[in-house]
Amino acid sequence: MIGIYARVSTEEQAKSGFSLESQVRECRKKSGTNECKEYIDEGVSGEFLDRPALSQLRQDVRDGLITKVVCLDPDRLSRKLMHQLLITEEFDRQGIELVFVNGEYARTPEGQLFYSMRGAIAEFEKAKINERMSRGRREKARQGRVLRDFQVYGYSYNKETEQMIINEEEAAIVRLIFDLFTKPGAVQGMNGIAHYLTKQAIPTKKGKGVWHRQVVRQILMNRAYIGEFYQNRWNTEGMLGNKHKAPDERVPVRQRPREEWIHIPCPPIIEREQFEYAQKLLQDSRRRWAKKGLHQYLLSGLLRCAHCGNTMTGRRAKNWGKYVYEYTDIKSTAGAKNKGCGRKVKREEFDNEIWKTVRSWLENPNEIAAAAEYDKQESEIPFEQMEMERLEKEIEKAKKGRKRILSLFAIGMDSGEEEVCDIMRTLKEKEETATKQLKELKARIREEKEAGFNQNLLSEAAEYYLFKHPDALTFDDKQKIIRQLIREIIVYEDHIEIFTY
């Protein structure tokens, strides 16, 4: 039985000479018979080896059902030389005759050389096509044109002007999401917002009736809503074939360096002040909406020991036969990097002191504005400076350790090559982890210095909680106010430092 293989990718469907009908017609003419079995891959790129029809053809060849294969051109088999050679070698081992309409495949040194050259040219041509298309898209973006409809909730795509325009119906929901997240109310957190939108029967961008917290999070983080839309931000090269690859072989999307992003102005929906405040709350979202424990600790997640740098968590301890509630920096977990220096403070006294301070701020907002201005004038936050120094030392220690191991190995250290490789790998991982943490810490410090304090939102919180419901504050209400205003509390032996947003 003769097998005919034909393939056309999505971008080639509009080009003359590559239609499936013409390929099959030419292959039948070349085979000289109508008794052929057709293997057709439609809309599949030649970059990938795992194609439905090609895989079936190879299986039928292995099963002995096919004795001859006819194809229009080598680049129909594959756009990669390595894949072409793999397929032809597989056919050769089975004694299959491989025939091309455009050119001959001869099993001679000259024929194999010519075949390899054609494969290399096809691969080069594919790379050039991709490069030209990418360059064209980038140039189009630099001209301020939006490449396609990116399906951004709150916007519609105008094909004629190639611009994003506000979809007023969706924009109202975007404003609602930001208001629910940044202003005190009955709806709490991203999960609460998602449930609220679902109950209100508000459709998503794709017309679905169910909202997910991750969709809400993406909206809250999207800078397009303050007029900053970026193209060429994500590198998706190689992802086209992910559906044909094993999970561990799939290519992940990668973010390009900031300088390669192309900024496209778009009409804003959200005020910048509210958007930046939402980003502050997002940074703190894990602790703000954490699952409630058996015992309540008003300042959970906010306290940090000035001496050892550990966070101070709430716990119930036994003292002379009585249970006491306290905050401590002691870490009892086996994997803790720092066990803590043992600093403890009584929960009730500390909670009352901090709430008294916060309440005075809410009754007189000018006090916290002054405190925030003082924080901005500080050269560096004590703990963050200490953490930066620790990470820098850890990076340097890892670098020196790798150099020392290499030196000892070079002079004949009594260790096997595999053991040395394991040590080097561990040190490299430590260095990379510390470098990443240092980079994130510096970025956070920079953002916090640039952000400043939001006086308007403080006034709204003060009006809602104290003037409308001054005597009806629950534990959750107090905790929410504190976490909206206080970023961190550094606990010293004889005093504390409060850092606001």
Side-chain angles (χ1 to χ4, degrees), residues 181-182 184 188 277-293 295-303 312-314 327 351 354-355 358-359 361-362 368 453 457-458 461 465 475-489 498-501:
F181 190 71
T182 59
Q188 295 187 358
Y277 182 63
Q279 305 317 297
K280 290 292 183 185
L281 297 182
L282 282 168
Q283 290 178 7
D284 199 35
S285 61
R286 185 170 67 175
R287 72 180 183 191
R288 292 177 74 234
W289 312 118
K291 183 179 179 181
K292 290 182 175 63
H295 305 289
Q296 294 182 319
Y297 298 91
L298 192 64
L299 307 177
S300 179
L302 295 177
L303 304 179
M312 299 181 69
T313 54
Y327 295 103
D351 287 356
I354 297 300
W355 175 245
V358 170
R359 187 175 179 116
W361 287 346
L362 293 169
I368 191 172
F453 179 72
L457 288 167
L458 170 65
Y465 284 112
F475 174 87
D476 289 339
D477 291 335
K478 292 180 180 179
Q479 191 174 65
K480 188 190 303 181
I481 296 174
I482 290 172
R483 289 176 175 177
Q484 282 182 337
L485 302 181
I486 296 178
R487 174 166 49 84
E488 192 166 54
I489 302 171
I498 301 176
F499 295 96
T500 61
Y501 281 112

Coordinates of all heavy atoms in Angstrom, one line a residue, residues 181-182 184 188 277-293 295-303 312-314 327 351 354-355 358-359 361-362 368 453 457-458 461 465 475-489 498-501:
F181 N -12.7 46.0 46.7 CA -11.4 45.5 47.3 C -10.7 46.5 48.2 O -10.1 46.2 49.2 CB -10.5 45.1 46.1 CG -9.2 44.4 46.6 CD1 -9.3 43.1 47.1 CD2 -8.0 45.0 46.6 CE1 -8.1 42.4 47.5 CE2 -6.8 44.3 47.0 CZ -6.9 43.0 47.5
T182 N -10.9 47.8 47.8 CA -10.1 48.8 48.5 C -10.9 49.6 49.6 O -10.3 50.3 50.4 CB -9.6 49.9 47.5 OG1 -10.7 50.5 46.8 CG2 -8.6 49.2 46.5
P184 N -13.8 49.6 52.8 CA -14.4 48.7 53.8 C -15.8 48.4 53.4 O -16.6 49.2 52.9 CB -14.4 49.6 55.1 CG -13.3 50.6 54.8 CD -13.4 50.9 53.4
Q188 N -15.4 40.7 51.3 CA -14.0 40.7 51.8 C -13.2 39.9 50.8 O -13.5 38.7 50.5 CB -13.9 40.1 53.2 CG -14.5 41.0 54.2 CD -14.2 40.4 55.6 OE1 -13.6 39.4 55.8 NE2 -14.7 41.1 56.6
Y277 N -3.1 51.7 45.7 CA -3.5 51.2 47.0 C -3.9 49.8 46.9 O -3.6 49.0 47.8 CB -4.6 52.1 47.6 CG -5.1 51.7 48.9 CD1 -4.2 51.8 50.0 CD2 -6.3 51.2 49.2 CE1 -4.6 51.4 51.3 CE2 -6.8 50.8 50.4 CZ -5.9 50.9 51.5 OH -6.3 50.5 52.7
A278 N -4.6 49.4 45.9 CA -5.0 48.0 45.6 C -3.7 47.1 45.6 O -3.8 46.0 46.1 CB -5.8 47.9 44.4
Q279 N -2.7 47.6 44.9 CA -1.4 46.8 44.9 C -0.8 46.5 46.2 O -0.3 45.5 46.5 CB -0.4 47.5 43.9 CG -0.9 47.8 42.5 CD -1.7 46.7 41.9 OE1 -1.2 45.6 41.7 NE2 -3.0 47.0 41.7
K280 N -0.9 47.6 47.1 CA -0.5 47.4 48.5 C -1.2 46.3 49.2 O -0.7 45.5 49.9 CB -0.6 48.7 49.3 CG 0.4 49.8 48.8 CD 1.8 49.4 49.2 CE 2.8 50.5 48.8 NZ 4.2 50.1 49.1
L281 N -2.6 46.3 49.0 CA -3.4 45.3 49.7 C -3.1 43.9 49.1 O -3.2 43.0 49.8 CB -4.9 45.7 49.5 CG -5.3 47.0 50.2 CD1 -6.8 47.2 50.0 CD2 -5.0 47.0 51.6
L282 N -2.9 43.9 47.8 CA -2.6 42.6 47.2 C -1.3 42.0 47.7 O -1.2 40.7 47.9 CB -2.4 42.7 45.7 CG -3.7 42.8 44.9 CD1 -3.5 43.3 43.4 CD2 -4.5 41.5 44.9
Q283 N -0.3 42.8 48.0 CA 1.0 42.3 48.6 C 0.7 41.7 49.9 O 1.4 40.7 50.4 CB 2.0 43.4 48.7 CG 2.5 44.0 47.4 CD 3.5 45.1 47.6 OE1 3.8 45.5 48.7 NE2 3.9 45.7 46.5
D284 N -0.3 42.2 50.6 CA -0.6 41.7 52.0 C -1.8 40.7 52.0 O -2.3 40.4 53.1 CB -0.9 42.9 52.8 CG -0.8 42.6 54.3 OD1 0.1 41.8 54.7 OD2 -1.6 43.2 55.1
S285 N -2.3 40.3 50.8 CA -3.5 39.6 50.7 C -3.5 38.2 51.5 O -4.5 37.8 52.1 CB -4.0 39.4 49.3 OG -3.0 38.6 48.6
R286 N -2.4 37.6 51.4 CA -2.3 36.2 52.1 C -2.5 36.3 53.6 O -3.3 35.5 54.1 CB -0.9 35.6 51.8 CG -0.9 34.1 52.3 CD 0.3 33.4 51.8 NE 1.5 34.0 52.4 CZ 2.8 33.5 52.2 NH1 2.9 32.4 51.4 NH2 3.8 34.0 52.7
R287 N -1.9 37.3 54.2 CA -2.1 37.4 55.7 C -3.5 38.0 56.0 O -4.1 37.8 57.0 CB -1.0 38.2 56.3 CG -1.0 39.7 56.0 CD 0.1 40.4 56.7 NE 0.0 41.8 56.5 CZ 1.0 42.7 56.7 NH1 2.1 42.2 57.2 NH2 0.8 44.0 56.5
R288 N -4.0 38.9 55.1 CA -5.2 39.6 55.4 C -6.4 38.7 55.4 O -7.4 38.9 56.1 CB -5.5 40.8 54.4 CG -4.5 41.9 54.5 CD -4.7 42.9 53.5 NE -5.9 43.7 53.8 CZ -6.9 43.9 53.0 NH1 -6.9 43.3 51.8 NH2 -8.0 44.6 53.3
W289 N -6.4 37.7 54.5 CA -7.5 36.8 54.4 C -7.2 35.4 54.8 O -7.7 34.4 54.3 CB -8.1 36.9 53.0 CG -8.3 38.3 52.5 CD1 -7.6 38.9 51.4 CD2 -9.1 39.3 53.0 NE1 -8.0 40.2 51.3 CE2 -8.9 40.5 52.3 CE3 -10.0 39.3 54.1 CZ2 -9.6 41.6 52.6 CZ3 -10.6 40.5 54.4 CH2 -10.5 41.6 53.6
A290 N -6.2 35.2 55.6 CA -5.8 33.9 56.0 C -6.9 33.2 56.8 O -7.8 33.9 57.5 CB -4.5 34.0 56.9
K291 N -6.9 31.9 56.8 CA -7.9 31.1 57.6 C -7.8 31.4 59.1 O -6.7 31.5 59.6 CB -7.6 29.6 57.3 CG -8.7 28.7 58.0 CD -8.4 27.3 57.6 CE -9.4 26.4 58.3 NZ -9.1 25.0 58.0
K292 N -8.9 31.6 59.7 CA -8.9 31.9 61.1 C -8.4 30.8 62.0 O -8.8 29.6 61.7 CB -10.3 32.4 61.6 CG -10.7 33.7 61.0 CD -12.1 34.1 61.5 CE -12.5 35.5 61.1 NZ -12.6 35.6 59.6
G293 N -7.6 31.0 63.0 CA -7.1 30.0 63.9 C -8.1 29.8 65.0 O -9.1 30.4 65.1
H295 N -7.5 30.5 68.2 CA -7.4 31.7 69.0 C -7.1 32.9 68.1 O -6.5 32.8 67.1 CB -6.3 31.5 70.1 CG -6.4 30.3 70.9 ND1 -7.4 30.1 71.8 CD2 -5.7 29.1 70.9 CE1 -7.3 28.9 72.4 NE2 -6.3 28.3 71.8
Q296 N -7.7 34.1 68.6 CA -7.6 35.3 67.8 C -6.4 36.1 68.2 O -6.3 36.4 69.4 CB -8.9 36.1 67.9 CG -10.1 35.3 67.2 CD -11.4 36.1 67.3 OE1 -11.7 36.8 68.3 NE2 -12.1 36.1 66.2
Y297 N -5.7 36.6 67.2 CA -4.5 37.5 67.5 C -4.7 38.7 66.6 O -4.5 38.6 65.4 CB -3.2 36.7 67.3 CG -3.0 35.6 68.2 CD1 -3.5 34.3 67.8 CD2 -2.5 35.7 69.5 CE1 -3.3 33.2 68.7 CE2 -2.3 34.6 70.3 CZ -2.8 33.4 69.9 OH -2.6 32.3 70.8
L298 N -4.9 39.8 67.2 CA -5.2 41.0 66.4 C -4.1 41.4 65.5 O -4.3 42.0 64.4 CB -5.5 42.2 67.4 CG -6.1 43.5 66.8 CD1 -7.5 43.2 66.2 CD2 -6.2 44.5 67.9
L299 N -2.8 41.2 65.9 CA -1.7 41.7 65.2 C -0.9 40.6 64.4 O 0.2 40.7 64.1 CB -0.7 42.4 66.1 CG -1.3 43.5 67.0 CD1 -0.3 44.1 68.0 CD2 -1.9 44.6 66.1
S300 N -1.6 39.5 64.2 CA -1.0 38.4 63.5 C -0.4 38.8 62.2 O -1.1 39.4 61.4 CB -2.0 37.2 63.4 OG -1.4 36.1 62.7
G301 N 0.8 38.4 61.9 CA 1.5 38.7 60.6 C 2.1 40.1 60.5 O 2.7 40.4 59.5
L302 N 2.0 40.9 61.6 CA 2.5 42.3 61.5 C 3.8 42.5 62.3 O 4.5 43.5 62.1 CB 1.4 43.3 62.0 CG 0.1 43.4 61.1 CD1 -0.8 44.4 61.8 CD2 0.5 43.9 59.7
L303 N 4.0 41.7 63.3 CA 5.1 41.9 64.3 C 6.4 41.2 63.8 O 6.3 40.1 63.2 CB 4.7 41.4 65.6 CG 3.4 41.9 66.3 CD1 3.2 41.3 67.6 CD2 3.5 43.4 66.4
M312 N 6.9 37.6 64.5 CA 6.4 37.2 65.9 C 4.9 36.7 65.7 O 4.1 37.5 65.3 CB 6.5 38.3 66.8 CG 7.9 38.8 67.0 SD 8.1 40.1 68.2 CE 7.7 39.3 69.8
T313 N 4.7 35.4 66.0 CA 3.4 34.9 65.8 C 2.7 34.6 67.2 O 3.4 34.5 68.2 CB 3.5 33.5 65.1 OG1 4.4 32.7 65.7 CG2 4.0 33.7 63.6
G314 N 1.4 34.6 67.1 CA 0.6 34.3 68.4 C 0.7 32.9 68.8 O 0.6 32.0 68.0
Y327 N 2.8 36.9 71.8 CA 3.4 36.9 70.5 C 4.9 36.6 70.8 O 5.5 37.1 71.7 CB 3.3 38.3 69.9 CG 1.9 38.7 69.5 CD1 1.3 39.6 70.3 CD2 1.3 38.2 68.4 CE1 0.0 40.0 70.0 CE2 0.0 38.5 68.1 CZ -0.7 39.5 68.9 OH -1.9 39.9 68.6
D351 N -2.0 44.2 72.0 CA -3.2 44.5 71.2 C -3.8 45.8 71.6 O -4.2 46.7 70.7 CB -4.2 43.4 71.2 CG -3.7 42.1 70.5 OD1 -2.7 42.2 69.9 OD2 -4.4 41.1 70.6
I354 N -1.6 49.0 70.5 CA -1.7 49.3 69.1 C -3.0 49.8 68.7 O -3.1 50.7 67.9 CB -1.3 48.0 68.3 CG1 0.1 47.6 68.6 CG2 -1.4 48.3 66.8 CD1 1.2 48.6 68.3
W355 N -4.1 49.2 69.2 CA -5.4 49.6 68.8 C -5.7 51.1 69.3 O -6.3 51.9 68.6 CB -6.5 48.7 69.4 CG -7.9 49.2 69.1 CD1 -8.8 49.6 70.0 CD2 -8.5 49.5 67.8 NE1 -10.0 50.1 69.4 CE2 -9.8 50.0 68.0 CE3 -8.0 49.3 66.5 CZ2 -10.6 50.4 67.0 CZ3 -8.9 49.6 65.5 CH2 -10.1 50.2 65.7
V358 N -4.0 53.3 66.8 CA -4.7 53.3 65.6 C -6.0 54.2 65.7 O -6.4 55.0 64.8 CB -5.0 51.9 65.1 CG1 -6.0 52.0 63.9 CG2 -3.7 51.2 64.7
R359 N -6.7 54.0 66.8 CA -7.9 54.7 67.0 C -7.7 56.2 67.1 O -8.4 57.0 66.6 CB -8.6 54.2 68.3 CG -10.0 54.9 68.5 CD -10.7 54.3 69.7 NE -12.0 55.0 69.8 CZ -13.2 54.3 69.7 NH1 -13.2 53.1 69.4 NH2 -14.3 55.0 69.8
W361 N -5.3 57.7 65.5 CA -5.1 58.1 64.1 C -6.4 58.3 63.4 O -6.5 59.3 62.7 CB -4.3 57.0 63.4 CG -2.8 56.9 63.8 CD1 -2.1 57.8 64.5 CD2 -2.0 55.9 63.5 NE1 -0.8 57.4 64.7 CE2 -0.7 56.2 64.0 CE3 -2.1 54.7 62.8 CZ2 0.4 55.3 63.9 CZ3 -1.0 53.8 62.7 CH2 0.2 54.2 63.2
L362 N -7.3 57.4 63.6 CA -8.6 57.5 62.9 C -9.4 58.7 63.4 O -10.1 59.4 62.6 CB -9.4 56.3 63.1 CG -8.8 55.0 62.4 CD1 -9.6 53.8 62.9 CD2 -8.9 55.1 60.9
I368 N -1.5 60.2 61.5 CA -0.9 59.2 60.7 C -0.2 59.7 59.5 O 0.8 59.2 59.0 CB -1.9 58.1 60.3 CG1 -1.2 56.9 59.8 CG2 -3.0 58.6 59.4 CD1 -2.1 55.7 59.5
F453 N 1.5 57.6 51.3 CA 0.3 57.2 52.1 C -1.0 57.8 51.5 O -1.0 58.9 51.1 CB 0.5 57.7 53.6 CG -0.7 57.4 54.4 CD1 -0.9 56.0 54.8 CD2 -1.6 58.3 54.8 CE1 -2.0 55.7 55.6 CE2 -2.7 58.0 55.6 CZ -2.8 56.7 56.0
L457 N -8.3 57.4 51.5 CA -8.8 56.1 52.0 C -8.8 56.0 53.5 O -9.7 55.4 54.1 CB -7.9 55.0 51.4 CG -8.2 54.8 49.9 CD1 -7.1 53.9 49.3 CD2 -9.5 54.2 49.6
L458 N -7.9 56.7 54.2 CA -7.9 56.7 55.6 C -9.1 57.5 56.1 O -9.8 57.0 57.0 CB -6.6 57.4 56.2 CG -6.6 57.8 57.7 CD1 -6.7 56.5 58.5 CD2 -5.5 58.6 58.0
A461 N -12.2 55.3 55.8 CA -12.2 54.2 56.8 C -12.6 54.8 58.1 O -13.4 54.2 58.9 CB -10.8 53.6 56.9
Y465 N -16.1 53.5 60.0 CA -16.0 52.7 61.2 C -16.3 53.5 62.5 O -16.8 53.0 63.4 CB -14.6 52.1 61.3 CG -14.5 50.9 60.4 CD1 -13.6 51.0 59.3 CD2 -15.2 49.7 60.6 CE1 -13.4 49.9 58.4 CE2 -15.0 48.6 59.7 CZ -14.2 48.7 58.7 OH -14.0 47.7 57.8
F475 N -14.0 42.2 66.3 CA -12.6 41.8 66.2 C -12.1 41.9 64.7 O -11.1 42.5 64.5 CB -12.4 40.4 66.7 CG -11.0 39.9 66.5 CD1 -10.0 40.2 67.5 CD2 -10.6 39.2 65.4 CE1 -8.7 39.8 67.3 CE2 -9.3 38.8 65.2 CZ -8.3 39.1 66.2
D476 N -12.9 41.4 63.8 CA -12.6 41.4 62.4 C -12.5 42.9 61.9 O -11.6 43.2 61.1 CB -13.6 40.7 61.5 CG -13.5 39.2 61.8 OD1 -12.4 38.7 62.2 OD2 -14.4 38.4 61.5
D477 N -13.4 43.8 62.3 CA -13.4 45.2 61.9 C -12.1 45.8 62.4 O -11.4 46.5 61.6 CB -14.5 45.9 62.5 CG -15.9 45.5 62.0 OD1 -15.9 45.0 60.8 OD2 -16.9 45.6 62.6
K478 N -11.7 45.6 63.6 CA -10.5 46.2 64.1 C -9.2 45.7 63.4 O -8.3 46.4 63.0 CB -10.3 45.9 65.6 CG -11.3 46.5 66.5 CD -11.1 46.2 68.0 CE -12.1 46.8 68.9 NZ -11.9 46.5 70.3
Q479 N -9.2 44.3 63.1 CA -8.1 43.7 62.4 C -8.0 44.3 61.0 O -6.9 44.6 60.5 CB -8.2 42.2 62.4 CG -7.0 41.5 61.9 CD -7.1 40.0 62.1 OE1 -7.9 39.4 61.4 NE2 -6.3 39.4 62.9
K480 N -9.1 44.5 60.4 CA -9.1 45.0 59.0 C -8.6 46.4 59.0 O -7.7 46.8 58.1 CB -10.5 45.0 58.4 CG -10.6 45.3 56.9 CD -12.0 45.5 56.4 CE -12.9 44.3 56.7 NZ -14.3 44.5 56.2
I481 N -9.0 47.3 59.9 CA -8.5 48.7 60.0 C -7.0 48.7 60.2 O -6.2 49.4 59.5 CB -9.2 49.4 61.1 CG1 -10.7 49.6 60.8 CG2 -8.6 50.8 61.2 CD1 -11.4 50.2 62.0
I482 N -6.5 47.9 61.1 CA -5.1 47.9 61.4 C -4.3 47.4 60.2 O -3.2 48.0 59.9 CB -4.8 46.9 62.6 CG1 -5.4 47.5 63.9 CG2 -3.3 46.6 62.8 CD1 -5.3 46.6 65.1
R483 N -4.7 46.4 59.5 CA -4.0 45.9 58.4 C -4.0 46.8 57.1 O -3.2 46.7 56.3 CB -4.4 44.5 58.1 CG -4.0 43.5 59.1 CD -4.5 42.1 58.9 NE -3.9 41.2 59.8 CZ -4.2 39.9 59.9 NH1 -5.1 39.4 59.1 NH2 -3.7 39.1 60.8
Q484 N -5.1 47.7 57.1 CA -5.1 48.6 56.0 C -4.1 49.8 56.3 O -3.7 50.4 55.3 CB -6.5 49.2 55.9 CG -7.5 48.3 55.2 CD -8.9 48.9 55.0 OE1 -9.3 49.8 55.8 NE2 -9.6 48.4 54.1
L485 N -3.8 50.0 57.5 CA -3.0 51.2 57.9 C -1.5 50.8 58.2 O -0.6 51.6 57.9 CB -3.6 52.0 59.1 CG -5.0 52.5 58.9 CD1 -5.5 53.2 60.1 CD2 -5.2 53.3 57.7
I486 N -1.3 49.7 58.8 CA 0.0 49.3 59.3 C 0.6 48.2 58.4 O 0.0 47.2 58.2 CB -0.1 48.9 60.8 CG1 -0.5 50.0 61.7 CG2 1.3 48.4 61.2 CD1 -0.7 49.7 63.1
R487 N 1.8 48.5 58.0 CA 2.5 47.5 57.2 C 3.3 46.5 58.1 O 3.4 45.3 57.8 CB 3.4 48.2 56.2 CG 4.4 47.3 55.4 CD 5.0 48.0 54.2 NE 5.6 49.2 54.6 CZ 6.8 49.4 55.2 NH1 7.5 48.3 55.3 NH2 7.2 50.6 55.5
E488 N 4.0 47.1 59.1 CA 4.8 46.2 59.9 C 5.1 47.0 61.2 O 5.2 48.2 61.3 CB 6.1 45.9 59.2 CG 6.9 44.8 59.9 CD 8.0 44.3 58.9 OE1 8.8 45.1 58.4 OE2 8.1 43.1 58.7
I489 N 5.3 46.1 62.3 CA 5.6 46.7 63.6 C 6.9 46.0 64.1 O 7.0 44.7 64.2 CB 4.5 46.4 64.7 CG1 3.2 47.0 64.2 CG2 4.9 47.0 66.0 CD1 2.0 46.7 65.0
I498 N 6.4 51.6 64.4 CA 5.3 51.3 63.5 C 5.5 51.8 62.1 O 5.8 53.0 62.0 CB 4.0 51.8 64.1 CG1 3.7 51.2 65.5 CG2 2.8 51.5 63.2 CD1 2.5 51.8 66.2
F499 N 5.4 51.0 61.1 CA 5.6 51.5 59.7 C 4.2 51.4 59.0 O 3.6 50.3 58.9 CB 6.6 50.6 59.0 CG 8.0 50.8 59.6 CD1 8.5 49.9 60.6 CD2 8.8 51.9 59.3 CE1 9.7 50.1 61.2 CE2 10.0 52.1 59.9 CZ 10.5 51.2 60.8
T500 N 3.8 52.5 58.4 CA 2.5 52.6 57.8 C 2.7 52.4 56.3 O 3.8 52.4 55.8 CB 1.8 53.9 58.0 OG1 2.7 55.0 57.5 CG2 1.6 54.1 59.5
Y501 N 1.6 52.3 55.5 CA 1.6 52.2 54.1 C 1.8 53.6 53.5 O 1.4 54.5 54.1 CB 0.3 51.6 53.5 CG 0.3 50.1 53.7 CD1 -0.6 49.5 54.6 CD2 1.2 49.3 53.0 CE1 -0.6 48.1 54.7 CE2 1.1 47.9 53.1 CZ 0.2 47.3 54.0 OH 0.2 45.9 54.1

